[in-house]
Amino acid sequence: MPSAWPDEAPPAWYVWWTLFEEQHGMCALCINPPHVIDHDHASGIIRGLLCGRCNRLEPFCCFPRYTASPPAGDRQWSYRSVRNSTQRHLASPAKRLVRP
């Protein structure tokens, strides 16, 4: 797999599985499985994978270690670019596969 994409906008599946592997299949804030790709709403930079509960709590709670050193690190992946390059909503690939 490439370490960088030519237009710096990797596909959503690459972002998801790269972070899923690095986070050992767990939410970046708790031990639950992740369901969403979290990003900073001000900058649009992807931070990591979160479960639904932590994703809902994150805007209202303070997680200084997570925001200071997110799993996506210095990659500077833009949520807007990744989302627009693949699909409308980034969610767990496993969740998308379960549709009837």
Side-chain angles (χ1 to χ4, degrees):
M1 300 306 281
S3 59
W5 296 86
D7 61 358
E8 296 304 319
W13 62 264
Y14 179 80
V15 171
W16 177 269
W17 291 113
T18 299
L19 293 173
F20 190 84
E21 183 177 308
E22 289 177 10
Q23 292 178 211
H24 307 288
M26 296 188 304
C27 170
L29 297 172
C30 70
I31 60 169
N32 291 321
H35 294 289
V36 297
I37 297 176
D38 175 56
H39 66 287
D40 180 308
H41 286 263
S43 68
I45 300 299
I46 292 172
R47 294 185 286 214
L49 304 180
L50 298 179
C51 69
R53 179 181 172 275
C54 289
N55 189 52
R56 286 187 301 278
L57 289 174
E58 188 274 325
F60 307 105
C61 298
C62 183
F63 298 106
R65 278 193 232 150
Y66 174 69
T67 53
S69 183
D74 296 327
R75 291 185 176 102
Q76 298 295 302
W77 287 330
S78 169
Y79 182 81
R80 292 174 193 103
S81 296
V82 170
R83 180 181 59 193
N84 292 334
S85 70
T86 55
Q87 60 190 17
R88 192 166 177 215
H89 178 68
L90 293 175
S92 158
K95 227 179 181 182
R96 288 192 310 271
L97 293 176
V98 181
R99 292 185 183 171

